[in-house]
């Protein structure tokens, strides 16, 4: 409800004017007054006063400020006459000059009690509602609106209607409660309510003064049945009371909270003053809490004695001393470290196998090794955790495999990135004497895990650096040695910490940069690159569902079948892992998400045409280029992102036997070219060549894509074959590739990265591959499904390579090495 009711709600000036001796003002109706008002006839025609923001109910007295010219003219004329007007509320209060269509149809006949001229120049009238009417036709619009009206019938319940009487009683009680709860409504309003005898006037009085929008009040005015109108008013009052009680509760709560804060502040200030007077240590409570925590710790006698010594020292310290905070931090580290707190290992091997298979496709050797470790733990019960190093190209799932291992074991999981680490103190910690000293990151992560036997991932161990701060890889020797890490010494803690229960798993992209002593302490498990078939399965099972979820696209809104995934792999990615593939799939999904969000048409089933539009033209694939030119041989190479094919090109020009090498080659690769040429010189008879030919022709060896650095011994036999083809002008066997290291004695040595090289050969359409006989063991470990369509030729000597690679057929227009030099003029 509002305080806009009878005299008590008016301004003092209005009240003074209304209560002068010439004015008889009766704010409330008696039963006799109401009967007389209802017996009065409604005029057939009335001047209509539009109201902007209020509704007049029968019997209710309200003040109205009149500002529009038409309204002022109407009030003046009416005040001179019978003082009776028609009052109708506007549908839209922003309309300045309303027409009949802008007014509500139901209004109230009003009697002007008093007209006042206010100091600000406005005219205020006090009016009282009489009976309701319904607008019919407009008679005039100037100088103000006059219209024909008819009485609006009202349905009243009988005097013996007990239900209506109960309803009115509830209305009065609710209204009185609201007046009591609301500080804005004066208490006189309650007195006025108690003195209302007429039920209909009570309903009108409350309807007029309740806190409701004009539209709701107008709707109440238009209800003919008094009992129905009373029910609507009761519902609105109940809602208003609930809102008022909630508001009061919130204000009371805020006040109580504020009072409590003030009370606590004053008490703390008094306590501080008392402690200062008594000379007591303000930090005694902290020390007491530390001792309570220490009682629950499971630590050895040595740690317990060190803690007791440190906390006793703390108690004797001045809290304002700089060393106090250092000692406090040290004690908190001792308390936070999980000295002998372990999580129970889950030895359900079938469940562990399901977890590993669910999270990662392939990796059979790694999964088998993890299951072996679990089996030994289950049978023996006390085995030091081995140090495993997962070695392979980027994006094959080395780091994420650690999470799966932790889940399968039921252990906590922590990860520490070693990339770019150069300070030994990052591993061993700083001594307490240094400002800002901290434990090493090994113990910090153990503390974060809250368990002394987590799965601990040492990520990118091959990228550890060293400088004048020390060599972090040397500090890791103690961490990763199962025979030593049961007594790992941290400079900050200054006590041995048992790391033997931690399962360390290191990851690396290359073994060559790992310190030999460190590499010797780890069990190297190679994770090779994925085949196209494996990538398709990984994308279908893991990558596509993950990206659909992250981009907010439903499964049925984008269909990417295996054929299209394979097309993406072969034409838009060139890697051993699947990180680049995930990025490409994410781009395809985002394109669909954009179309869905913008309500554009798009192809739900992705086609090659869609991929070209989204991802651009496909990358040019490395393909076998034929054998029509002598001296060009296809080799197989390993790169950090997987296998690749390369072409060794050689050509001859008349000269003095000079060897030229181009193509951004490393030292090892250049040495392979020299060895191949020298070997051919010493075995020229086998090729049917005269030895002096090598002194009469210059040799140029080039490896295309000169911007890419190339090095390694695996192109040895490829260079040998290229030179043999160039000097004999014999064709190289079609669809053939090779890889292997050569020696000056004529042997072919094994090389690494065989699986990646085989995948690259399949992509390029190669049918036969020449390898060292010692690489046969690597082929055996590869699944037979991935070797379909490939033939392997194993060789032991360099002569065998030439025999297998060169055909008897010569190229068109071969070089004639028997052409005699022109005689000097």
């Amino acid at each position: 409800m509002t305080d806009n009711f009878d005299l008590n709600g008016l301004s003092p000036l209005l009240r003074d004017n209304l209560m002068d001796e010439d004015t008889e003002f009766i704010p409330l109706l008696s039963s006799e007054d109401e009967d007389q008002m209802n017996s009065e006839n409604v005029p057939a025609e009335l001047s209509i006063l539009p109201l902007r923001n209020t509704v007049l109910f029968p019997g209710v007295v309200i003040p109205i400020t009149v500002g529009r010219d038409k309204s002022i003219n109407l009030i003046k004329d009416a005040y001179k006459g019978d003082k009776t007007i028609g009052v109708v509320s506007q549908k839209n209060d922003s309309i300045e000059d309303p027409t009949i269509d802008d007014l509500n149809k139901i209004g109230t006949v009003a009697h002007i009690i008093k007209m006042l001229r206010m100091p600000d120049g406005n005219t205020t009238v006090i009016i009282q509602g009489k009976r309701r009417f319904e607008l019919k036709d407009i008679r005039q619009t100037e100088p103000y609106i006059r219209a024909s009206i008819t009485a609006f019938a009202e349905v009243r319940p009988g005097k013996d209607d007990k239900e209506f009487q109960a309803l009115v009683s509830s209305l009065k009680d609710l209204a009185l409660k609201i007046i009591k709860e609301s500080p804005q409504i004066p208490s006189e309003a309650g007195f006025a309510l108690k003195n209302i005898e007429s039920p209909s006037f009570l309903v009108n009085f409350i309807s007029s003064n309740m806190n409701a929008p004009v539209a709701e009040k107008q709707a109440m005015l238009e209800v003919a049945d008094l009992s129905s109108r009373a029910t609507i008013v009761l519902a609105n009052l109940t809602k208003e009371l609930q809102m008022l009680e909630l508001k009061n509760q919130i204000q009371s709560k805020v006040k109580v909270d504020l009072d409590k804060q003030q009370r606590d502040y004053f008490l703390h200030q008094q306590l501080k003053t008392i402690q200062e007077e008594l000379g007591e240590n303000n930090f005694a409570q902290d020390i007491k809490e530390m001792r309570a925590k220490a009682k629950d710790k499971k630590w050895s006698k040595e740690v317990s004695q060190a803690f007791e010594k440190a906390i006793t020292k703390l108690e004797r310290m001045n809290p304002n001393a700089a060393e106090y905070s250092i000692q406090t931090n040290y004690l908190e580290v001792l308390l936070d470290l999980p000295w002998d707190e372990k999580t129970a290992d889950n030895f359900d091997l079938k469940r562990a196998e399901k977890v590993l298979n669910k999270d990662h496709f392939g990796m059979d050797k790694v999964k088998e090794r993890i299951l072996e470790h679990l089996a030994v733990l289950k049978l023996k019960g006390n085995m030091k955790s081995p140090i495993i190093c997962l070695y392979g190209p980027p994006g094959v799932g080395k780091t994420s495999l650690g999470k799966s291992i932790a889940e399968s074991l039921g252990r906590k999981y922590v990860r520490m990135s070693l990339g770019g680490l150069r300070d030994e103190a990052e591993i061993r910690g700083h001594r307490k004497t240094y400002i800002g000293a901290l434990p090493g990151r090994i113990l910090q992560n153990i503390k974060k895990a809250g368990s002394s036997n987590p799965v601990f991932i040492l990520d990118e161990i091959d990228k550890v650096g060293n400088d004048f701060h020390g060599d972090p890889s040397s500090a890791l020797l103690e961490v990763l040695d199962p025979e030593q890490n049961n007594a790992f010494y941290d400079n900050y803690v200054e006590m041995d910490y048992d790391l033997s229960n931690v399962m360390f798993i290191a990851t690396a992209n290359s073994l060559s940069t790992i310190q030999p002593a460190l590499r010797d302490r780890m069990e190297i498990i190679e994770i090779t690159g994925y085949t196209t078939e494996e990538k398709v399965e990984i994308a279908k099972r893991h990558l596509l569902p993950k990206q659909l979820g992250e981009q907010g696209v439903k499964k049925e809104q984008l269909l990417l079948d295996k054929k299209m995934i394979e097309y993406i792999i072969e034409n838009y990615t060139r890697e051993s892992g699947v990180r680049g593939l995930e990025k490409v799939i994410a781009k395809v999904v985002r394109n669909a998400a954009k179309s869905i969000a913008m309500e554009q048409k798009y192809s739900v089933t992705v086609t090659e045409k869609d991929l070209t539009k989204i991802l651009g033209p496909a990358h040019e694939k490395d393909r076998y280029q034929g054998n029509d030119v002598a001296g060009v041989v296809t080799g197989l190479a390993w790169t950090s992102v997987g296998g690749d094919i390369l072409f060794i090109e050689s050509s001859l020009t008349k000269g003095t036997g000079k060897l030229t090498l181009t193509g951004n080659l490393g030292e090892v690769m250049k040495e392979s070219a020299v060895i191949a040429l020298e070997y051919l010189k010493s075995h020229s008879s086998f090729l049917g060549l005269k030895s002096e030919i090598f002194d009469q022709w210059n040799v140029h060896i080039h490896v295309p894509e000169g911007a890419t650095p190339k090095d390694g011994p695996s192109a040895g036999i490829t260079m040998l074959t290229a030179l043999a083809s160039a000097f004999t002008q014999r064709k190289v066997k079609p669809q053939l590739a090779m890889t292997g290291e050569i020696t000056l004695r004529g042997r072919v040595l094994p090389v690494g990265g065989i699986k990646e090289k085989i995948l690259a050969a399949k992509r390029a359409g190669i049918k036969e591959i020449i390898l060292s006989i010692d690489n046969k063991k690597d082929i055996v470990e590869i699944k037979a499904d991935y070797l379909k369509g490939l033939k392997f030729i194993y060789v032991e000597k360099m002569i065998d390579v030439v025999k297998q690679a060169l055909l008897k057929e010569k190229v068109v227009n071969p070089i004639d090495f028997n052409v005699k030099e022109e005689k000097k003029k």
Side-chain angles (χ1 to χ4, degrees):
M1 292 178 66
T2 67
D3 56 354
N4 182 24
F5 67 96
D6 65 77
L7 284 178
N8 297 300
L10 304 180
S11 67
L13 183 62
L14 276 175
R15 201 159 48 230
D16 294 342
N17 278 280
L18 287 174
M19 293 302 293
D20 62 25
E21 58 185 10
D22 297 329
T23 305
E24 181 182 358
F25 182 78
I26 304 174
L28 303 179
L29 288 180
S30 64
S31 299
E32 294 79 8
D33 294 335
E34 187 178 19
D35 292 339
Q36 182 182 350
M37 184 179 70
N38 290 330
S39 64
E40 293 177 1
N41 294 324
V42 174
E45 186 177 315
L46 273 179
S47 301
I48 304 298
L49 177 66
L51 297 183
R52 286 181 191 267
N53 52 11
T54 189
V55 177
L56 179 65
F57 286 83
V60 178
V61 178
I62 60 172
I64 296 173
T65 299
V66 182
R68 290 180 281 200
D69 292 340
K70 285 186 176 182
S71 300
I72 292 172
N73 292 333
L74 184 151
I75 293 298
K76 287 180 177 178
D77 291 350
Y79 198 67
K80 292 175 184 177
D82 61 358
K83 300 183 180 180
T84 302
I85 59 173
V87 175
V88 183
S89 63
Q90 293 181 197
K91 295 177 181 177
N92 186 350
D93 61 4
S94 63
I95 296 174
E96 187 66 27
D97 188 13
T99 63
I100 188 68
D101 295 329
D102 300 320
L103 301 176
N104 290 299
K105 296 300 180 184
I106 306 300
T108 308
V109 177
H111 175 71
I112 300 175
I113 298 174
K114 185 88 172 178
M115 183 174 74
L116 303 170
R117 175 70 65 178
M118 307 304 292
D120 59 1
N122 289 326
T123 299
T124 298
V125 291
I126 309 299
I127 59 174
Q128 183 178 29
K130 295 294 184 180
R131 294 186 62 185
R132 290 180 292 175
F133 65 83
E134 183 177 357
L135 277 177
K136 289 300 181 181
D137 299 324
I138 294 296
R139 300 299 185 188
Q140 71 177 45
T141 58
E142 296 296 337
Y144 42 78
I145 298 174
R146 282 187 67 84
S148 61
I149 61 171
T150 57
F152 184 80
E154 182 171 299
V155 179
R156 293 169 178 263
K159 291 184 178 180
D160 297 330
D161 192 333
K162 293 184 178 180
E163 184 178 348
F164 178 70
Q165 291 174 1
L167 189 61
V168 171
S169 178
S170 298
L171 268 177
K172 185 177 285 190
D173 292 343
L174 265 180
L176 290 171
K177 195 169 184 181
I178 289 173
I179 292 170
K180 184 179 179 181
E181 291 284 337
S182 177
Q184 285 82 23
I185 302 177
S187 57
E188 289 86 347
F191 177 77
L193 275 175
K194 290 176 182 177
N195 285 281
I196 295 177
E197 300 174 356
S198 168
S200 62
F201 178 62
L202 178 70
V203 174
N204 289 335
F205 184 77
I206 294 174
S207 300
S208 177
N209 291 290
M210 72 187 302
N211 188 17
V214 173
E216 285 188 23
K217 289 185 176 182
Q218 178 65 31
M220 295 177 194
L221 185 70
E222 294 177 1
V223 176
D225 183 51
L226 182 61
S227 181
S228 300
R229 183 145 42 96
T231 304
I232 296 171
V233 174
L234 183 64
N236 277 276
L237 277 186
T238 304
K239 180 180 176 182
E240 186 174 344
L241 179 62
Q242 290 173 350
M243 291 295 292
L244 187 60
E245 287 176 344
L246 184 60
K247 179 181 175 183
N248 290 339
Q249 284 176 8
I250 293 170
Q251 290 177 344
S252 175
K253 185 178 179 182
V254 170
K255 184 175 183 298
V256 168
D257 289 347
L258 186 61
D259 290 344
K260 185 179 184 302
Q261 287 178 8
Q262 291 176 337
R263 177 175 173 274
D264 291 347
Y265 173 76
F266 287 125
L267 287 174
H268 281 301
Q269 289 298 108
Q270 289 174 357
L271 181 62
K272 184 178 178 182
T273 305
I274 293 169
Q275 286 177 338
E276 286 176 355
E277 289 291 329
L278 295 174
E280 291 184 357
N281 186 353
N282 295 338
F283 299 88
Q285 184 63 29
D286 294 339
I287 294 174
K288 186 178 179 182
E289 290 175 1
M290 286 183 187
R291 287 192 179 279
K293 283 184 182 179
K295 289 180 181 179
D296 300 328
K297 297 297 290 186
K298 299 176 183 178
W299 48 25
S300 64
K301 184 179 179 181
E302 178 191 357
V303 181
S304 180
Q305 289 175 350
F307 176 83
E308 186 60 34
K309 182 180 177 181
I311 201 166
T312 303
K313 183 180 178 182
L314 183 71
E315 287 175 326
R316 295 196 298 266
M317 280 185 186
N318 183 350
N320 296 319
E323 196 178 348
Y324 188 90
S325 61
I326 296 174
Q327 194 74 0
T328 304
N329 292 339
Y330 175 71
L331 288 166
E332 287 176 350
V333 168
L334 291 184
L335 288 168
D336 291 340
L337 279 171
W339 290 91
D340 197 27
E341 299 168 21
K342 303 174 187 175
T343 54
D345 285 330
N346 189 341
F347 296 121
D348 187 348
L349 300 186
K350 291 183 179 179
R351 176 188 170 276
E353 188 175 18
K354 285 181 181 178
V355 170
L356 293 171
N357 290 331
K358 174 177 70 72
D359 294 343
H360 292 83
F361 184 80
M363 297 187 180
D364 296 333
K365 189 189 295 186
V366 183
K367 293 175 184 175
E368 185 181 353
R369 177 66 190 85
I370 300 301
L371 291 173
E372 285 173 1
H373 171 63
L374 283 175
V376 173
L377 280 177
K378 184 175 182 179
L379 295 175
K380 197 173 179 181
N382 56 348
M383 173 185 159
K384 292 182 179 179
S385 295
I387 313 300
I388 296 172
C389 179
L390 303 177
Y391 151 64
V396 294
K398 300 185 296 298
T399 304
S400 61
L401 187 65
K403 287 186 179 179
S404 300
I405 294 172
E407 184 182 350
S408 63
L409 281 166
R411 292 189 178 193
K412 298 290 182 67
Y413 167 84
V414 286
R415 173 185 166 273
M416 174 180 169
S417 178
L418 298 174
L421 195 70
R422 294 180 178 275
D423 190 353
E424 182 185 348
E426 291 285 333
I427 305 296
R428 288 195 176 277
H430 307 80
R431 296 194 180 278
K432 294 200 302 288
T433 52
Y434 295 114
I435 295 173
L438 289 170
R441 288 175 61 187
I442 297 291
L443 289 193
Q444 284 185 41
N445 281 285
I446 295 289
K447 184 177 74 171
K448 184 171 69 174
S451 165
S452 61
N453 65 336
V455 174
F456 200 123
I457 304 297
L458 295 168
D459 220 0
E460 311 290 356
I461 199 170
D462 57 324
K463 296 177 179 62
V464 175
N466 60 74
D467 59 10
F468 62 91
H469 291 293
D471 184 3
S473 60
S474 298
L476 285 170
L477 294 177
E478 184 184 2
V479 176
L480 300 183
D481 191 339
E483 299 301 323
Q484 297 180 39
N485 64 8
N486 61 337
F488 171 69
Y489 186 85
D490 186 276
N491 291 328
Y492 184 85
V493 176
E494 294 181 338
M495 281 183 288
D496 292 338
Y497 191 89
D498 186 4
L499 296 177
S500 61
N501 296 307
V502 180
M503 186 173 185
F504 287 103
I505 299 176
T507 69
N509 298 131
S510 173
L511 298 178
S512 60
T513 55
I514 302 176
Q515 191 185 96
L518 187 59
R519 188 170 63 218
D520 185 62
R521 282 164 165 76
M522 299 185 291
E523 181 180 343
I524 307 296
I525 299 178
E526 184 177 5
I527 302 179
T528 54
Y530 296 116
T531 64
T532 301
E533 292 82 0
E534 286 176 327
K535 288 182 181 180
V536 170
E537 288 298 324
I538 291 169
K540 198 70 180 172
R541 297 183 187 187
H542 302 287
L543 305 184
L544 183 58
K546 177 186 173 184
Q547 289 303 321
L548 288 172
E550 287 185 358
Q551 313 301 341
V553 178
K554 295 178 181 178
K555 191 186 296 183
E556 62 272 9
Q557 291 176 321
L558 183 69
L559 301 177
L560 194 64
D561 58 25
K562 289 186 176 181
K563 186 178 178 183
M564 286 301 99
I565 294 174
E566 186 175 348
Y567 182 80
I568 290 173
I569 293 167
E570 293 182 349
N571 294 278
Y572 292 97
T573 63
R574 188 179 292 178
E575 59 178 351
S576 292
V578 292
R579 193 169 287 146
L581 175 60
E582 184 175 8
K583 291 177 184 177
V584 175
I585 290 175
K587 190 171 183 180
V588 175
V589 177
R590 283 198 303 270
N591 183 76
K594 184 193 76 172
S595 299
I596 294 168
M598 297 178 70
E599 298 182 355
Q600 297 174 341
K601 288 185 179 180
Y602 72 101
S603 176
V604 177
T605 304
V606 180
T607 63
E608 290 184 15
K609 185 178 179 182
D610 297 326
L611 291 176
T612 303
K613 184 179 178 182
I614 298 167
L615 305 174
H619 299 162
E620 185 178 348
K621 293 190 290 185
D622 294 328
R623 304 298 298 177
Y624 172 72
Q625 296 182 356
N627 64 341
D628 294 332
V629 180
V632 180
V633 183
T634 305
L636 299 175
W638 182 92
T639 68
S640 61
V641 294
D644 204 352
I645 68 168
L646 54 81
F647 301 99
I648 307 293
E649 302 174 348
S650 60
S651 64
L652 305 177
T653 56
K654 287 294 287 182
T656 58
K658 180 184 175 184
L659 175 63
T660 304
L661 300 170
T662 57
N664 203 349
L665 308 182
E667 289 300 320
V668 178
M669 212 164 182
K670 290 178 181 178
E671 290 168 1
S672 297
V674 174
I675 293 170
L677 183 59
E678 292 300 321
Y679 180 81
L680 288 178
K681 287 180 181 180
S682 62
H683 293 78
S684 58
S685 59
F686 175 78
L687 296 175
L689 299 172
K690 295 178 181 180
S691 58
E692 58 266 20
I693 289 178
F694 295 97
D695 298 326
Q696 298 171 356
W697 296 82
N698 290 336
V699 181
H700 186 172
I701 297 177
H702 177 68
V703 183
E705 298 185 21
T708 306
K710 310 167 193 71
D711 201 7
S714 61
I717 64 172
T718 314
M719 289 183 168
L720 172 72
T721 307
L723 290 173
S725 173
F727 277 107
T728 60
Q729 293 293 291
R730 289 162 59 183
K731 287 185 175 183
V732 180
K733 189 184 290 185
Q735 296 179 314
L736 173 74
M738 58 190 71
T739 182
E741 183 180 353
I742 59 175
T743 70
L744 206 54
R745 292 179 297 158
R747 291 194 62 214
V748 178
L749 301 181
V751 290
I754 295 300
K755 185 178 178 182
E756 283 80 5
K757 291 175 179 178
I758 288 172
L759 297 179
K762 286 191 74 174
R763 288 197 301 266
I766 299 297
K767 300 297 182 186
E768 290 185 59
I769 298 176
I770 297 178
L771 296 167
S772 167
I773 194 167
D774 293 327
N775 280 123
K776 191 171 185 178
K777 65 180 186 301
D778 298 308
I779 302 298
V780 173
E781 291 180 356
I782 301 173
K783 288 185 179 180
D785 295 343
Y786 304 149
L787 305 177
K788 286 181 182 178
L790 289 176
K791 178 183 177 183
F792 296 96
I793 302 170
Y794 301 105
V795 295
E796 191 173 358
K797 297 180 180 180
M798 293 159 65
I799 293 295
D800 298 332
V801 176
V802 177
K803 285 181 181 179
Q804 295 290 342
L806 298 184
L807 302 173
K808 298 292 184 184
E809 180 186 358
K810 292 193 175 186
V811 298
V812 181
N813 301 322
I815 297 174
D816 187 359
F817 294 106
N818 297 315
V819 175
K820 295 181 180 179
E821 295 184 17
E822 294 183 6
K823 293 181 180 179
K824 294 180 180 179
K825 295 183 180 179

